[in-house]
Amino acid sequence: MKVTNQMTKGKTVAFFTNYNELTALEQLRVVSPITHSNFNLEINDGNSSRDDIDLVNQADFVLFQRNFAENYPRYQLIINRAKELNIPIIFDLDDLLFDIPKTHIDRQTSSFGPSILAMAQALKDADLVTVSTENLKRQLEGIVESICVLPNYLDDTFWRFQQAQKSAADSGLVKIIYMGSVSHQSDLDLIEDVLAQILVDYPNNLSIRFIGLPPPTAIRSQQNVSWEDVKFFNYVAFAHYFQTVEADIALLPLADNLFNACKSEIKFLECSSLGAACIASDVSPYKNIIENGYNGFLAASPDEWYKIITTLINEPETCLTFSLNAQKLIERDWLIRNQVHKWEDAYSKARSRSTTALIDFPRSFFENLVLQTYEYSLINKNEEKRLVIRINELDERIKNLEYQASYRSIPSRLINRVKTALRRK
């Protein structure tokens, strides 16, 4: 896949991914910045029939993200050829995947267990590691030789600033939204009791709309609470959908831990673009961008969450003021078209190394790698045990079926069809 715009382009970035869709990760960190830059972008994704080595041969930079190295044979072929040709290798990372909290769904399901060691190797192979935040950079300094911060920005070719069609003050209904995936369950839990109390205190003049993650159990049955179980893998499609949402207030709770502190401000940018006043947890990344009481609000406790939300419910005409201040900030500092020079500068300074860096991982970093790999092996073993039990149960049902068939003279062809269906389970 070739991605370019109409202007004359310079050097070529070869981007390798295992995915078939341009998710938020690819769009925010690769496609949007590079298509706005003076680089060409060539993508070998899950749908591509182009030979990886052929693409490397034509490239000036080789780029991959996150857990691409999980397909280690493919990864090795690409990396080895890039080193032979002295082509800089760039590894992009937007989360602290080497230290995921144990309460996080990706840790509990060991989503990155199969790739964690390969990702550590990728850190050593890369000539340049790019990350989304200063906090993430600090966690990797001393582990990688060359690292720089390339923040997440909004792309205004598909994000447009929205303003409320009708203010809450006019309609009498304050619209509150929460948007997040299942990985943010522990974050939403932080304000469950607050929302339950607000619905008791304000039963008639507000609505709360959950997008992605279902509402907390305590308020799920409330009439003015709704849930849209939407799943968009394509980020541009998500942006188009999300901009149809009407909201006066957007809730951005985030648990205070190192993993979350390394996240970017992107959700604040997305929700502010809707014309909503954002209320966020008083933690990084939000306290790095929100000026409390000017372009949004920071809440450090349940009492503060309650106070800020109810103040905006009682004074809904002020929501638009805060969102407009946020939009002015975004237009000035957070649009990708004004920031592409950061990608051009970072990539242009990357220099190929003929050999892999001899980096000693800190003990705590290495222990996290080992622990996540061990957890993945346990999950696999438990899954194997579950499957063995299930197979034995099905075999027993088949034996019982065969016995009943012989006793009741059921046609053998019918029995065979049922046995086949059971075995498929």
Side-chain angles (χ1 to χ4, degrees):
M1 179 194 301
K2 185 172 184 177
V3 182
T4 186
N5 61 26
Q6 310 226 335
M7 65 182 289
T8 302
K9 292 283 188 170
K11 293 184 176 182
T12 296
V13 177
F15 174 49
F16 297 90
T17 173
N18 293 322
Y19 300 114
N20 299 329
E21 292 273 7
L22 294 177
T23 69
L25 181 66
E26 291 85 18
Q27 189 70 49
L28 289 168
R29 314 250 346 119
V30 177
V31 177
S32 284
I34 294 179
T35 52
H36 281 83
S37 76
N38 288 321
F39 294 138
N40 294 302
L41 177 61
E42 296 271 2
I43 302 177
N44 252 24
D45 59 16
N47 290 321
S48 179
S49 59
R50 185 172 181 180
D51 180 70
D52 287 334
I53 300 303
D54 177 56
L55 183 52
V56 174
N57 292 340
Q58 306 299 318
D60 298 288
F61 307 97
V62 165
L63 170 65
F64 56 93
Q65 294 179 303
R66 276 198 175 195
N67 56 338
F68 173 75
E70 181 178 344
N71 185 343
Y72 201 68
R74 182 188 180 195
Y75 166 79
Q76 279 188 308
L77 285 173
I78 294 169
I79 294 303
N80 290 341
R81 183 56 177 164
K83 289 189 178 296
E84 288 174 5
L85 299 176
N86 293 318
I87 298 172
I89 299 164
I90 302 169
F91 179 30
D92 181 67
L93 194 64
D94 74 326
D95 270 325
L96 187 60
L97 299 178
F98 303 101
D99 194 6
I100 303 175
K102 292 184 178 180
T103 56
H104 196 284
I105 186 67
D106 285 337
R107 183 69 177 267
Q108 294 171 350
T109 59
S110 198
S111 296
F112 295 98
S115 57
I116 194 73
L117 293 178
M119 284 194 288
Q121 180 63 43
L123 286 178
K124 300 179 71 173
D125 290 334
D127 301 306
L128 172 66
V129 175
T130 58
V131 295
S132 51
T133 68
E134 288 289 344
N135 280 344
L136 185 51
K137 178 186 176 184
R138 279 192 283 271
Q139 295 306 310
L140 296 178
E141 284 177 334
I143 296 176
V144 300
E145 284 198 346
S146 180
I147 185 169
C148 75
V149 177
L150 298 176
N152 289 331
Y153 295 101
L154 278 193
D155 188 339
D156 62 351
T157 60
F158 54 87
W159 282 102
R160 298 283 189 271
F161 289 144
Q162 310 293 316
Q163 294 185 11
Q165 300 297 317
K166 188 176 184 181
S167 72
D170 295 331
S171 66
L173 181 67
V174 178
K175 303 180 184 71
I176 300 175
I177 65 163
Y178 172 83
M179 178 269 289
S181 67
V182 66
S183 64
H184 288 280
Q185 182 63 62
S186 59
D187 302 323
L188 182 56
D189 290 344
L190 296 174
I191 59 171
E192 177 177 0
D193 292 342
V194 173
L195 296 181
Q197 187 59 52
I198 286 174
L199 285 167
V200 170
D201 296 342
Y202 296 85
N204 300 316
N205 59 334
L206 66 84
S207 67
I208 307 179
R209 181 176 180 180
F210 291 83
I211 300 170
L213 195 63
T217 305
I219 63 173
R220 196 169 296 177
S221 61
Q222 299 280 351
Q223 277 192 334
N224 46 356
V225 173
S226 62
W227 173 38
E228 295 176 30
D229 184 17
V230 296
K231 295 181 177 67
F232 286 95
F233 293 100
N234 184 284
Y235 183 68
V236 175
F238 161 75
H240 289 156
Y241 156 78
F242 194 55
Q243 289 172 95
T244 66
V245 173
E246 294 183 6
D248 301 297
I249 301 170
L251 307 177
L252 285 66
L254 195 64
D256 188 8
N257 57 54
L258 179 60
F259 179 79
N260 285 340
C262 293
K263 285 186 169 294
S264 80
E265 305 86 349
I266 188 62
K267 191 174 290 189
F268 171 78
L269 305 181
E270 293 166 343
C271 290
S272 294
S273 76
L274 298 184
C278 291
I279 309 172
S281 292
D282 189 13
V283 298
S284 293
Y286 297 127
K287 66 181 182 181
N288 303 332
I289 192 171
I290 294 177
E291 186 177 341
N292 197 20
Y294 177 72
N295 59 6
F297 297 89
L298 297 169
S301 67
D303 287 344
E304 288 187 11
W305 275 98
Y306 181 88
K307 180 179 179 180
I308 296 168
I309 295 173
T310 54
T311 297
L312 291 179
I313 292 173
N314 292 326
E315 302 172 8
E317 67 280 357
T318 63
C319 291
L320 187 57
T321 300
F322 300 118
S323 68
L324 287 175
N325 290 337
Q327 289 180 359
K328 290 176 184 177
L329 171 68
I330 295 169
E331 189 166 24
R332 187 188 71 213
D333 297 334
W334 292 90
L335 294 181
I336 188 59
R337 60 180 162 85
N338 300 326
Q339 305 292 339
V340 293
H341 63 277
K342 295 179 180 179
W343 273 257
E344 294 170 345
D345 292 345
Y347 285 21
S348 297
K349 291 175 183 176
R351 294 292 180 267
S352 174
R353 293 175 288 112
S354 58
T355 58
T356 296
L358 296 175
I359 300 171
D360 289 330
F361 290 135
R363 181 177 178 84
S364 59
F365 181 90
F366 187 75
E367 285 176 345
N368 272 323
L369 299 183
V370 173
L371 187 57
Q372 289 195 54
T373 304
Y374 172 68
E375 289 167 352
Y376 173 67
S377 68
L378 285 183
I379 289 175
N380 269 358
K381 286 179 181 178
N382 290 335
E383 181 65 12
E384 288 175 7
K385 290 178 181 177
R386 189 191 69 78
L387 288 174
V388 168
I389 292 171
R390 181 62 175 151
I391 289 169
N392 290 337
E393 290 174 349
L394 290 174
D395 283 342
E396 190 64 31
R397 289 176 65 183
I398 289 171
K399 289 178 184 177
N400 290 336
L401 183 66
E402 289 172 336
Y403 172 78
Q404 292 179 36
S406 62
Y407 181 76
R408 298 179 182 177
S409 300
I410 299 175
S412 59
R413 65 179 183 277
L414 179 59
I415 296 302
N416 289 334
R417 286 173 61 185
V418 175
K419 286 165 61 177
T420 301
L422 285 172
R423 287 193 172 111
R424 283 175 179 167
K425 291 184 179 181

